[in-house]
C-alpha cells in the first residue's frame, strides 16, 4: 500500500504541472458518462495510468475517463478506481480542482474499499489519505515533497452548507432540508468542485455536502466508485457519516456498472441526523 501512496504523491506533482502549463481546450472525445473530455482530463488519465503501470501490487485500473477495466498485473492485489481530474471545467476560471483514488481489494463495491486518497490542486497542493482504523492524514506539498501536517477530524456539528445539483430540479423535501440548514445559521460554501468543497468541510470541522437525486438526474451525478465511495470512507474515518437518500451508508453501495452514480450526503453527525429526520429516513 505504501508504494501506492508514494505513486499518488508523484502523480500529484505531475498533474499539478500539467494544470499549470498545458493547453486548456477540449479533446475530440467524450467519456463514459457522455461528458466532453478536456485535453487535461485525458492527459491526467495518462499520467496516472503510466505511473501505476510499474506498481506490481496494482492488479487493475478503472478510470472515470475510460470505459471498462484496464488489466495491469495478474498477480496484483488491488484495483484502483480513480477520477483523474475532478472539476476539470473549473480550471479555465482558475478555481481549485482535484484527483480522487479508491483502492479496492476484490469485487468493486463499497465494503471492499481498503483505502482512499484525494489531491487538491489549489494555491497549494494538498493530499489526504484514509485507511481503516485511523483518522485521515493531511499532507501539504513543500518544494517537491509532501510534508505530513496532521490528522483530520470532523466536529459533531459544522457551519458550512455545500448543496449540489440544479435547484430547479430538487425535490420539495430536499429544498426543505437545505433551507432548514440555512435557517439554522449555516453558510453557503460551494465552488462546484467536489474535492475542494468536501475538503473545506473536512478541514473546517464539519457541515454538509449534498448531491441529491433530481428530476433531471434521479440517481444524482456523482459516480460511486471514483467519487462517492472514496469520500464516504474519508468522512467516516474522520468521524462523520455518508449516506444516500434512503439512509443507507454509501460504503454499502454495490455498483452494477463502473460508471453508476448515486445520490449522496456527506456530513458531520448533526447534519446527517437532521437529514434523516426531514427526509423521514429510518435510523
Ligand atoms: P468531473 O469534473 O470529474 O466530471 O466532476 C465534477 C463533479 C463534482 O466535482 C461536482 O460536485 C459536480 O460535478 C458539479 O456538477 P454540476 O455543476 O453539473 O452540478
Ligand atoms: Mn469527478
Ligand atoms: Mn473527472
Amino acid at each position: 500500500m505504501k508504494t501506492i501512496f508514494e505513486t499518488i504523491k508523484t502523480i500529484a506533482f505531475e498533474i499539478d504541472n500539467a494544470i499549470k502549463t498545458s493547453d486548456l481546450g477540449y479533446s475530440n472525445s467524450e467519456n463514459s458518462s457522455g461528458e466532453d473530455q478536456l485535453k487535461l482530463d485525458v492527459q491526467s488519465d495518462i499520467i496516472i495510468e503510466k505511473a501505476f503501470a510499474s506498481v506490481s501490487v496494482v492488479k487493475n485500473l478503472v478510470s472515470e475517463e475510460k470505459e471498462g477495466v484496464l488489466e495491469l498485473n495478474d498477480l496484483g492485489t488491488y484495483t484502483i478506481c480513480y477520477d483523474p481530474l475532478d472539476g476539470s471545467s473549473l480550471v479555465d476560471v482558475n478555481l481549485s480542482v482535484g484527483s480522487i483514488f479508491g483502492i479496492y481489494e476484490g469485487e468493486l463495491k463499497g465494503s471492499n474499499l481498503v483505502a482512499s486518497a484525494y489531491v487538491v490542486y489549489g494555491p497549494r497542493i494538498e493530499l489526504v489519505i484514509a485507511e481503516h482504523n485511523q483518522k485521515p492524514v493531511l499532507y501539504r506539498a513543500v518544494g517537491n515533497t509532501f510534508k505530513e501536517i496532521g490528522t483530520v477530524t470532523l466536529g459533531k456539528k459544522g457551519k458550512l452548507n455545500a448543496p449540489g445539483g440544479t435547484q430547479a430540479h430538487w425535490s420539495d423535501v430536499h429544498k426543505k432540508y437545505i433551507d432548514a440548514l440555512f435557517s439554522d445559521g449555516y453558510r453557503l460554501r460551494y465552488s462546484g468542485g467536489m474535492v475542494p468543497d468536501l475538503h473545506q468541510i473536512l478541514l473546517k470541522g464539519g457541515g454538509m455536502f449534498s448531491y441529491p437525486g433530481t428530476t433531471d438526474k434521479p440517481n444524482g451525478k456523482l459516480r460511486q466508485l471514483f467519487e462517492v465511495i472514496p469520500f464516504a470512507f474519508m468522512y467516516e474515518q474522520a468521524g462523520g457519516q455518508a449516506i444516500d437518500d434512503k439512509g443507507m451508508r454509501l460504503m454499502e453501495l454495490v455498483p452494477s456498472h463502473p460508471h453508476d452514480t448515486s445520490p449522496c450526503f456527506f456530513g458531520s453527525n448533526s447534519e446527517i441526523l437532521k437529514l434523516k429526520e426531514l427526509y423521514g429516513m429510518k435510523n
Side-chain angles (χ1 to χ4, degrees):
M1 194 65 78
K2 195 158 188 319
T3 339
I4 293 177
F5 298 145
E6 289 310 309
T7 308
I8 290 175
K9 291 177 185 172
T10 314
I11 288 168
F13 284 111
E14 283 187 46
I15 294 182
D16 186 67
N17 185 53
I19 293 168
K20 291 191 164 68
T21 56
S22 295
D23 187 4
L24 295 184
Y26 280 98
S27 67
N28 293 319
S29 50
E30 50 178 48
N31 66 17
S32 300
S33 305
E35 298 159 343
D36 289 330
Q37 286 175 309
L38 289 162
K39 288 181 192 166
L40 262 179
D41 287 318
V42 179
Q43 206 181 336
S44 305
D45 189 31
I46 293 170
I47 289 172
I48 294 174
E49 187 183 318
K50 279 199 182 138
F52 284 124
S54 56
V55 179
S56 59
V57 290
V58 180
K59 190 180 174 69
N60 298 320
L61 292 179
V62 184
S63 168
E64 187 195 80
E65 300 301 338
K66 278 200 283 284
E67 191 67 54
V69 176
L70 179 75
E71 293 171 18
L72 280 188
N73 301 301
D74 223 19
L75 298 175
T77 310
Y78 304 108
T79 296
I80 303 184
C81 299
Y82 62 95
D83 180 351
L85 199 58
D86 179 78
S88 50
S89 65
L90 299 173
V91 173
D92 61 359
V93 290
N94 209 15
L95 285 176
S96 297
V97 292
S99 301
I100 312 167
F101 303 86
I103 301 152
Y104 298 81
E105 192 173 347
E107 195 193 329
L108 296 178
K109 55 181 184 176
S111 57
N112 282 345
L113 184 111
V114 292
S116 71
Y118 67 86
V119 180
V120 192
Y121 309 101
R124 297 187 282 205
I125 314 174
E126 292 190 333
L127 164 69
V128 183
I129 294 177
E131 290 181 88
H132 277 289
N133 303 320
Q134 60 191 68
K135 295 275 185 229
V137 181
L138 169 69
Y139 300 84
R140 188 170 294 142
V142 180
N144 54 5
T145 53
F146 275 96
K147 184 172 177 267
E148 186 173 328
I149 304 297
T151 54
V152 176
T153 306
L154 278 166
K156 286 200 166 41
K157 185 176 191 295
K159 294 184 179 139
L160 309 182
N161 187 12
T166 307
Q167 298 182 19
H169 297 148
W170 287 351
S171 66
D172 289 343
V173 67
H174 190 68
K175 280 189 195 119
K176 214 168 119 191
Y177 174 58
I178 297 300
D179 284 349
L181 290 179
F182 285 130
S183 304
D184 194 23
Y186 283 75
R187 279 165 287 156
L188 177 68
R189 290 291 183 273
Y190 191 74
S191 74
M194 71 179 297
V195 175
D197 289 336
L198 283 159
H199 185 60
Q200 179 168 201
I201 290 171
L202 272 175
L203 266 57
K204 303 270 191 204
M208 167 54 57
F209 175 97
S210 51
Y211 206 109
T214 50
T215 47
D216 58 334
K217 290 179 183 152
N219 285 321
K221 176 186 181 190
L222 299 178
R223 286 144 283 222
Q224 300 180 19
L225 287 175
F226 325 108
E227 298 174 321
V228 172
I229 296 170
F231 267 110
F233 185 67
M234 271 299 156
Y235 268 60
E236 288 194 352
Q237 294 307 303
Q241 295 184 55
I243 61 175
D244 73 0
D245 54 356
K246 308 277 178 303
M248 185 187 83
R249 282 177 64 232
L250 295 169
M251 292 305 294
E252 286 171 22
L253 283 169
V254 183
S256 41
H257 182 275
H259 295 268
D260 279 354
T261 60
S262 171
C264 51
F265 299 84
F266 305 84
S268 13
N269 291 326
S270 166
E271 294 82 25
I272 295 279
L273 192 68
K274 196 189 254 308
L275 173 76
K276 286 182 170 173
E277 272 168 30
L278 281 182
Y279 261 70
M281 298 168 183
K282 288 198 188 78
N283 276 308

